[in-house]
Amino acid sequence: DELGPCIAESENIRSLSLSGNRIGNAGVAALVQELFTNVVLVSLDLARNQISDEGAMSVADFAKVSISLTDIDLSNNEIASLGASAFSSALVHSQLLAQLNLSANLLGDDGVEALARGLSASKSIKSLALRENHIGGRGFSALAEALETNASLTRLDMHGNELDAAGARALVHGLFHNKTLTSIDVGANHTLDANAVAELSHVLRSTFEIHSLRVYR
C-alpha cells in the first residue's frame, strides 16, 4: 500500500521489478491504480506473484493507456484465458508495448486463441514469450494465422508446449507469410514428430527473415 504512491510520484523509476513477492490480485490492483499517473515507467516485472486473470486484467488496462510502458513480465503466475483476452485488447490499443512475457501460466489453447486476435493487429509488439503454457495444435494454428498479418513481431518463444503435426503445418504456413519474425523457439515440444521437425527446419532454408529457429525435441 505504501509502495504504489511512491512509484506514482517518482520521476526517476523507469524499471520496476517486484517478482517473487506473492503480491496477488489485490496487491496488483492497488499498485496499478497508483501507476496510472506514472509517465516514466518503461519496464514492469511481476513474475511469480500468484497473479490470476483478475490481476492480469488490471495490468492490461494499465498497458492500454500508459504513455511509457514497453516491457511487461507476468511469467510464472496463474493467468488463464480471461487474462489473455485482456492482453489481446492491450496489444491492439497500446502503441508502445514491445515485450510481453506470459510464460509458465495457464493460457492453454483458449487463451492463445484470444491473444492471437490482438497479435494480428498489434503494431508495437516485438517479443512474445509463451513458453510452458499447455498450448496445443489449436493454439499454434491461431498464432500462425496471426503471424500472417502481424508486421512487428521479431521474436516468438513457444518452448515447452504441446505442438502437434497439424499445428506445425499451420506454423510453417504462417512463417512463410511473415516478414518480420527473426527468432522462434519451439524446443521441448515433445509431441512434435520427426516429419514436423523437418518441415519447420525447411523454413530456415527457405526464408531470409528467420535467423534463429530452435526445434529440438
Side-chain angles (χ1 to χ4, degrees):
D1 290 342
E2 297 178 358
L3 180 62
C6 294
I7 297 169
E9 295 171 4
S10 173
E11 297 180 358
N12 299 312
I13 298 177
R14 286 170 169 77
S15 179
L16 177 62
S17 177
L18 296 172
S19 62
N21 276 290
R22 302 180 184 176
I23 294 173
N25 293 329
V28 168
L31 173 66
V32 167
Q33 189 62 37
E34 299 293 342
L35 289 179
F36 273 105
T37 59
N38 182 289
V39 295
V40 297
L41 188 67
V42 173
S43 176
L44 180 61
D45 182 356
L46 294 171
R48 298 184 298 279
N49 268 301
Q50 300 176 349
I51 298 168
S52 62
D53 286 338
E54 182 182 350
M57 287 187 279
S58 296
V59 178
D61 285 343
F62 172 56
K64 286 182 188 179
V65 299
S66 173
I67 61 172
S68 60
L69 189 65
T70 64
D71 302 352
I72 297 174
D73 187 346
L74 280 167
S75 60
N76 291 277
N77 281 294
E78 302 160 10
I79 301 166
S81 59
L82 290 179
S85 294
F87 271 103
S88 179
S89 180
L91 287 172
V92 173
H93 291 93
S94 173
Q95 301 299 311
L96 295 174
L97 186 56
Q99 296 190 52
L100 178 61
N101 188 349
L102 295 175
S103 296
N105 277 284
L106 306 171
L107 301 188
D109 286 338
D110 290 343
V112 173
E113 280 187 327
L115 193 64
R117 289 191 286 272
L119 175 62
S120 65
S122 174
K123 293 179 173 59
S124 63
I125 192 69
K126 296 185 180 302
S127 176
L128 180 62
L130 301 174
R131 57 170 51 203
E132 298 174 16
N133 264 293
H134 309 288
I135 302 165
R138 183 159 54 88
F140 272 94
S141 295
L143 280 174
E145 186 175 347
L147 289 177
E148 293 185 34
T149 55
N150 178 275
S152 63
L153 192 70
T154 60
R155 177 180 176 270
L156 178 62
D157 186 352
M158 300 296 293
H159 185 97
N161 283 291
E162 299 165 10
L163 176 61
D164 59 15
R169 285 191 293 271
L171 189 57
V172 166
H173 188 269
L175 292 175
F176 271 122
H177 288 82
N178 181 276
K179 301 301 180 184
T180 58
L181 197 66
T182 60
S183 175
I184 180 169
D185 186 345
V186 290
N189 277 265
H190 298 295
T191 52
L192 199 60
D193 62 27
N195 290 333
V197 170
E199 286 188 55
L200 285 169
S201 297
H202 177 69
V203 174
L204 188 59
R205 300 192 298 271
S206 304
T207 176
F208 294 109
E209 285 79 18
I210 297 177
H211 304 297
S212 175
L213 175 63
R214 301 184 70 188
V215 293
Y216 69 87
R217 299 176 67 200

